[in-house]
Amino acid sequence: MHRRQKPSAPEHKKDLAAHGGALSMSHNDTRSFFNFSQLVLSAGHLKSPPVLKHSKITYFEVEILDVQSKKQICIVDKIPPSSTLLDVKHKFHKACPQWYPSRVGLQLERNGPYLKDSINIQSLAVSSIITLYFTDLGQQVGWTTFFLTEYTGPLLIYLLFYIRLSTIYDQVESTKNFRHPVVHLACFCHCLHYIRHLLETLFVHKFSGGHTPLKNMIKGCAFYWGFTSWIAYYINHPRYTPPSFGHRQVSFAALAFLMCEAGNHFINVALAHQNHSGLKACFPSPTYNPFTWLFLLVSCPNYTYEVGSWISFTVMTQTLPAGIFAFLMVIQMSLWAQKKHKLYLKRFYPEVRRKAAMIPIIF
């Protein structure tokens, strides 16, 4: 039998040292883990470091094509989502200086309507690239310039005929023939009408910075200036004959004219207050002012009073040119009233549904 040999003392101490070292290391690891756990529990949950959030702003690119050839004119890039179409037009003008913003017409489709300047560019976006079609609207003028030019002409032209220039009338007839009082009254009423229009353009009507083609102003001036010359020529002619029913016809017609002028003014003031009062939009309601009571019957009483003024002027002067002008004004005003009445029906249906557009029952 073989005896089991005992390890020598040095080897036995080495084994114990190694075994004891391993035990001490394991014990230290456990104790360290326990201390770390206690630290975590006493300190609460560990908070992760804050994540830096980088704001990402999506920019749009607007590709502008020619409406006729579909060729690309330019690309307007880095358009913020809060931008309007007017901002795009200004950047387009920087790229193409020959087209300033007021003469730039932009469409989503080639045959679609022109987009308003106030529209938000984000509402048009389907992707980050927006395609718009460009149309050159031609030379543009502001609405204030348009109306001031259109109304100043008749005021000055009528006065030139009223003073009976030698280049227009025969001076011998002018000095020989007596002027009927209706000639002076007609000049007063005609000037009053256009002075009211000019003052309302400057102080009552509020235009939102829109523009209209220069050719429209030329057409309007040709219409008003031409008819004013024709009307003034006959009324201020030395051979002009007064109305058939004399003073009574002139007096009643002049009174009706002044009432229509006053009514037109008060209606325009009411409409301007309704459009810019800052309150919730609602259809104007009649007030204590009797001239506003026409709102109970029609949706466009300003056109009703305008037509009434020219019909009264025709009766007062009893001239064919004034009658033709009044007839054309009835047609034009009725078309404008029908168009505006449809817009009112969409916005103020309960208030407008039982009203006529311009003349009760007829229009």
Side-chain angles (χ1 to χ4, degrees):
M1 295 180 64
H2 296 281
R3 282 187 178 179
R4 189 176 179 180
Q5 294 180 354
K6 292 183 180 181
S8 61
E11 291 180 359
H12 181 65
K13 289 181 181 180
K14 188 184 292 187
D15 292 339
L16 287 176
H19 184 65
L23 288 176
S24 63
M25 289 180 62
S26 175
H27 178 71
N28 289 337
D29 291 343
T30 304
R31 187 173 182 180
S32 299
F33 179 79
F34 176 79
N35 292 336
F36 179 75
S37 302
Q38 291 297 323
L39 179 64
V40 171
L41 291 175
S42 62
H45 297 289
L46 288 176
K47 294 182 179 180
S48 58
V51 180
L52 296 176
K53 294 182 179 180
H54 300 281
S55 59
K56 295 182 179 180
I57 301 176
T58 304
Y59 290 98
F60 295 101
E61 291 185 357
V62 179
E63 181 188 25
I64 299 179
L65 308 179
D66 184 77
V67 71
Q68 300 291 340
S69 62
K70 294 185 180 181
K71 292 182 178 179
Q72 185 186 96
I73 299 176
C74 71
I75 293 180
V76 182
D77 56 356
K78 294 185 178 180
I79 304 295
S82 59
S83 299
T84 62
L85 200 68
L86 183 60
D87 299 327
V88 176
K89 289 184 178 181
H90 282 292
K91 290 193 174 185
F92 177 64
H93 172 58
K94 291 182 179 179
C96 304
Q98 67 270 29
W99 293 308
Y100 51 89
S102 61
R103 70 182 294 169
V104 175
L106 296 177
Q107 305 158 274
L108 270 178
E109 300 175 357
R110 294 183 67 189
N111 298 324
Y114 293 114
L115 300 172
K116 294 182 179 181
D117 290 346
S118 59
I119 193 170
N120 189 281
I121 198 67
Q122 193 172 13
S123 62
L124 305 175
V126 179
S127 63
S128 60
I129 300 177
I130 303 171
T131 301
L132 298 176
Y133 293 94
F134 161 76
T135 301
D136 184 8
L137 300 178
Q139 188 75 19
Q140 302 287 303
V141 293
W143 283 110
T144 302
T145 304
F146 175 88
F147 288 116
L148 290 178
T149 306
E150 193 174 69
Y151 297 143
T152 303
L155 179 64
L156 300 178
I157 290 172
Y158 197 97
L159 292 174
L160 292 177
F161 283 91
Y162 176 73
I163 62 178
R164 290 182 176 178
L165 293 175
S166 58
T167 55
I168 302 176
Y169 301 111
D170 183 72
Q171 289 299 302
V172 177
E173 283 188 327
S174 299
T175 55
K176 186 186 298 185
N177 295 336
F178 171 75
R179 290 197 190 194
H180 194 276
V182 71
V183 176
H184 304 293
L185 184 60
C187 180
F188 170 78
C189 291
H190 192 276
C191 293
L192 177 66
H193 178 79
Y194 284 103
I195 288 174
R196 178 185 63 80
H197 272 304
L198 290 172
L199 292 177
E200 288 178 351
T201 300
L202 293 173
F203 303 109
V204 177
H205 300 301
K206 304 296 181 183
F207 305 104
S208 57
H211 297 80
T212 186
L214 178 63
K215 61 181 181 181
N216 289 348
M217 189 179 76
I218 295 175
K219 290 179 183 178
C221 290
F223 178 77
Y224 281 99
W225 294 15
F227 263 103
T228 298
S229 302
W230 193 21
I231 293 170
Y233 176 80
Y234 277 91
I235 295 177
N236 296 286
H237 199 282
R239 298 181 184 180
Y240 169 75
T241 56
S244 303
F245 296 96
H247 179 71
R248 182 177 297 180
Q249 178 179 344
V250 173
S251 300
F252 280 109
L255 181 61
F257 178 87
L258 294 176
M259 291 180 63
C260 289
E261 287 295 302
N264 203 338
H265 172 70
F266 288 119
I267 293 297
N268 287 332
V269 170
L271 290 174
H273 179 74
Q274 175 253 339
N275 291 332
H276 302 277
S277 60
L279 302 175
K280 183 179 179 181
C282 59
F283 189 77
S285 58
T287 63
Y288 62 89
N289 188 338
F291 291 104
T292 63
W293 294 350
L294 200 56
F295 275 122
L296 296 172
L297 301 176
V298 297
S299 60
C300 303
N302 53 327
Y303 295 146
T304 307
Y305 282 124
E306 183 77 11
V307 168
S309 294
W310 286 112
I311 293 175
S312 302
F313 187 85
T314 301
V315 174
M316 180 178 64
T317 58
Q318 196 173 311
T319 53
L320 179 63
I324 295 175
F325 182 74
F327 176 73
L328 294 177
M329 290 296 287
V330 170
I331 296 175
Q332 182 62 73
M333 294 293 169
S334 64
L335 294 175
W336 287 345
Q338 287 289 340
K339 183 178 179 179
K340 188 170 289 186
H341 185 70
K342 291 179 180 179
L343 296 176
Y344 284 156
L345 284 174
K346 293 179 180 179
R347 295 182 61 191
F348 316 112
Y349 175 72
E351 296 94 336
V352 185
R353 61 175 180 171
R354 296 183 182 275
K355 304 179 190 296
M358 187 178 77
I359 300 177
I361 302 174
I362 299 177
F363 296 107

Coordinates of all heavy atoms in Angstrom, one line a residue, residues 212-243:
T212 N -54.4 96.3 -59.7 CA -55.2 95.9 -60.9 C -54.4 96.3 -62.2 O -53.6 97.2 -62.1 CB -56.6 96.7 -60.9 OG1 -57.4 96.2 -62.0 CG2 -56.3 98.2 -61.0
P213 N -54.6 95.6 -63.3 CA -53.8 95.9 -64.5 C -54.1 97.3 -65.0 O -55.2 97.9 -64.8 CB -54.4 94.9 -65.5 CG -54.9 93.7 -64.7 CD -55.4 94.4 -63.4
L214 N -53.0 97.9 -65.5 CA -53.1 99.3 -66.0 C -54.2 99.4 -67.1 O -54.9 100.5 -67.2 CB -51.8 99.7 -66.5 CG -51.7 101.1 -67.2 CD1 -52.0 102.2 -66.1 CD2 -50.3 101.4 -67.8
K215 N -54.4 98.4 -67.9 CA -55.4 98.4 -68.9 C -56.8 98.6 -68.4 O -57.7 99.2 -69.0 CB -55.3 97.2 -69.8 CG -55.6 95.9 -69.1 CD -55.4 94.7 -70.0 CE -55.7 93.4 -69.3 NZ -55.6 92.2 -70.2
N216 N -57.1 98.1 -67.2 CA -58.4 98.3 -66.6 C -58.6 99.7 -66.2 O -59.7 100.3 -66.4 CB -58.5 97.4 -65.3 CG -58.6 95.9 -65.6 OD1 -58.8 95.6 -66.8 ND2 -58.5 95.1 -64.6
M217 N -57.6 100.4 -65.7 CA -57.7 101.8 -65.4 C -57.9 102.6 -66.7 O -58.7 103.6 -66.7 CB -56.4 102.3 -64.7 CG -56.6 103.7 -64.1 SD -55.1 104.3 -63.2 CE -54.0 104.7 -64.6
I218 N -57.3 102.3 -67.8 CA -57.5 103.0 -69.0 C -58.9 102.8 -69.5 O -59.5 103.8 -70.0 CB -56.5 102.5 -70.1 CG1 -55.0 102.8 -69.6 CG2 -56.7 103.1 -71.4 CD1 -53.9 102.3 -70.5
K219 N -59.4 101.6 -69.4 CA -60.8 101.4 -69.8 C -61.8 102.2 -68.9 O -62.7 102.8 -69.5 CB -61.2 99.9 -69.7 CG -60.5 99.0 -70.7 CD -60.9 97.5 -70.4 CE -60.1 96.6 -71.4 NZ -60.5 95.2 -71.1
G220 N -61.6 102.2 -67.6 CA -62.4 102.9 -66.7 C -62.4 104.4 -67.0 O -63.4 105.1 -67.0
C221 N -61.2 104.9 -67.2 CA -61.1 106.4 -67.5 C -61.7 106.7 -68.8 O -62.3 107.8 -69.0 CB -59.6 106.8 -67.5 SG -58.8 106.7 -65.9
A222 N -61.5 105.9 -69.8 CA -62.2 106.1 -71.1 C -63.7 106.2 -71.0 O -64.4 107.0 -71.6 CB -61.8 105.1 -72.1
F223 N -64.3 105.3 -70.2 CA -65.7 105.2 -70.0 C -66.2 106.5 -69.3 O -67.1 107.2 -69.8 CB -66.1 104.0 -69.2 CG -67.6 103.8 -68.9 CD1 -68.4 103.5 -69.9 CD2 -68.0 104.1 -67.7 CE1 -69.8 103.3 -69.7 CE2 -69.4 104.0 -67.4 CZ -70.3 103.6 -68.4
Y224 N -65.7 106.8 -68.1 CA -66.1 107.9 -67.3 C -65.8 109.2 -67.9 O -66.6 110.2 -68.0 CB -65.6 107.8 -65.9 CG -66.3 106.8 -65.0 CD1 -65.8 105.5 -64.8 CD2 -67.5 107.1 -64.4 CE1 -66.4 104.6 -64.0 CE2 -68.1 106.2 -63.6 CZ -67.6 105.0 -63.4 OH -68.3 104.1 -62.6
W225 N -64.6 109.4 -68.4 CA -64.2 110.7 -69.0 C -64.9 110.9 -70.3 O -65.3 112.1 -70.6 CB -62.7 110.7 -69.3 CG -61.8 110.6 -68.0 CD1 -62.2 110.2 -66.8 CD2 -60.4 110.9 -68.0 NE1 -61.1 110.3 -65.9 CE2 -60.0 110.6 -66.6 CE3 -59.5 111.3 -68.9 CZ2 -58.7 110.8 -66.2 CZ3 -58.1 111.4 -68.5 CH2 -57.8 111.2 -67.2
G226 N -65.1 109.9 -71.1 CA -65.9 110.1 -72.4 C -67.3 110.5 -72.1 O -67.8 111.4 -72.8
F227 N -68.0 109.8 -71.2 CA -69.4 110.1 -71.0 C -69.5 111.4 -70.3 O -70.5 112.2 -70.6 CB -70.1 109.0 -70.1 CG -70.8 108.0 -70.9 CD1 -70.3 106.7 -71.2 CD2 -72.1 108.3 -71.5 CE1 -71.0 105.8 -72.0 CE2 -72.8 107.4 -72.2 CZ -72.2 106.1 -72.5
T228 N -68.6 111.8 -69.4 CA -68.7 113.1 -68.8 C -68.5 114.2 -69.9 O -69.3 115.2 -69.8 CB -67.5 113.3 -67.8 OG1 -67.7 112.3 -66.8 CG2 -67.5 114.6 -67.2
S229 N -67.7 114.0 -70.8 CA -67.5 115.0 -71.9 C -68.8 115.2 -72.7 O -69.3 116.3 -73.0 CB -66.4 114.7 -72.8 OG -65.2 114.6 -72.1
W230 N -69.4 114.0 -73.0 CA -70.7 114.0 -73.8 C -71.8 114.7 -73.0 O -72.6 115.5 -73.5 CB -71.0 112.6 -74.2 CG -72.1 112.5 -75.2 CD1 -72.5 113.5 -76.1 CD2 -72.9 111.4 -75.5 NE1 -73.5 113.0 -76.9 CE2 -73.8 111.7 -76.6 CE3 -73.0 110.1 -74.9 CZ2 -74.7 110.8 -77.1 CZ3 -73.9 109.2 -75.5 CH2 -74.8 109.6 -76.5
I231 N -72.0 114.3 -71.7 CA -73.0 114.9 -70.9 C -72.8 116.4 -70.7 O -73.8 117.2 -70.8 CB -73.1 114.1 -69.5 CG1 -73.5 112.7 -69.7 CG2 -74.0 114.8 -68.6 CD1 -73.4 111.8 -68.5
A232 N -71.6 116.8 -70.3 CA -71.3 118.2 -70.0 C -71.5 119.0 -71.3 O -71.9 120.2 -71.2 CB -69.9 118.3 -69.5
Y233 N -71.2 118.5 -72.4 CA -71.3 119.3 -73.7 C -72.7 119.7 -73.9 O -73.0 120.9 -74.2 CB -70.8 118.5 -74.9 CG -70.9 119.2 -76.2 CD1 -70.1 120.2 -76.6 CD2 -72.0 118.9 -77.0 CE1 -70.2 120.8 -77.8 CE2 -72.2 119.5 -78.2 CZ -71.3 120.5 -78.6 OH -71.4 121.1 -79.8
Y234 N -73.7 118.8 -73.7 CA -75.1 119.1 -74.0 C -75.7 120.0 -72.9 O -76.5 120.9 -73.2 CB -75.9 117.8 -74.1 CG -75.8 117.2 -75.5 CD1 -74.8 116.3 -75.8 CD2 -76.7 117.6 -76.5 CE1 -74.7 115.8 -77.1 CE2 -76.6 117.1 -77.8 CZ -75.6 116.2 -78.1 OH -75.5 115.6 -79.3
I235 N -75.4 119.7 -71.6 CA -76.0 120.5 -70.5 C -75.5 121.9 -70.5 O -76.2 122.9 -70.3 CB -75.7 119.8 -69.2 CG1 -76.4 118.5 -69.1 CG2 -76.2 120.7 -68.0 CD1 -76.1 117.7 -67.8
N236 N -74.2 122.2 -70.8 CA -73.6 123.5 -70.8 C -73.7 124.2 -72.2 O -73.1 125.3 -72.3 CB -72.2 123.4 -70.3 CG -72.1 122.9 -68.9 OD1 -72.4 123.6 -67.9 ND2 -71.7 121.7 -68.7
H237 N -74.3 123.6 -73.1 CA -74.4 124.2 -74.5 C -75.3 125.5 -74.4 O -76.3 125.5 -73.7 CB -75.0 123.2 -75.5 CG -74.7 123.6 -76.9 ND1 -75.4 124.5 -77.6 CD2 -73.7 123.1 -77.7 CE1 -74.9 124.6 -78.8 NE2 -73.9 123.8 -78.9
P238 N -74.9 126.5 -75.1 CA -75.7 127.7 -75.1 C -77.2 127.5 -75.6 O -78.1 128.3 -75.2 CB -75.0 128.7 -76.1 CG -73.6 128.2 -76.1 CD -73.7 126.7 -75.9
R239 N -77.4 126.5 -76.4 CA -78.8 126.2 -76.8 C -79.5 125.2 -76.0 O -80.5 124.6 -76.4 CB -78.7 125.7 -78.3 CG -78.2 126.8 -79.2 CD -78.1 126.3 -80.7 NE -77.5 127.2 -81.6 CZ -77.4 127.0 -82.9 NH1 -77.8 125.9 -83.4 NH2 -76.8 127.9 -83.6
Y240 N -79.0 124.9 -74.9 CA -79.6 123.8 -74.0 C -81.0 124.3 -73.6 O -81.2 125.5 -73.2 CB -78.8 123.6 -72.8 CG -79.4 122.8 -71.7 CD1 -79.6 121.4 -71.8 CD2 -79.9 123.4 -70.5 CE1 -80.2 120.7 -70.8 CE2 -80.5 122.7 -69.5 CZ -80.7 121.3 -69.7 OH -81.3 120.6 -68.7
T241 N -82.0 123.4 -73.6 CA -83.4 123.7 -73.2 C -83.7 123.1 -71.9 O -83.3 121.9 -71.7 CB -84.4 123.2 -74.3 OG1 -84.2 121.8 -74.5 CG2 -84.2 124.0 -75.6
P242 N -84.4 123.8 -71.0 CA -84.6 123.2 -69.6 C -85.6 122.1 -69.7 O -86.3 121.9 -70.7 CB -85.2 124.4 -68.9 CG -85.7 125.3 -69.9 CD -84.9 125.1 -71.1
P243 N -85.8 121.4 -68.6 CA -86.7 120.2 -68.6 C -88.2 120.7 -68.9 O -88.6 121.8 -68.7 CB -86.6 119.7 -67.1 CG -85.3 120.2 -66.7 CD -85.0 121.5 -67.4

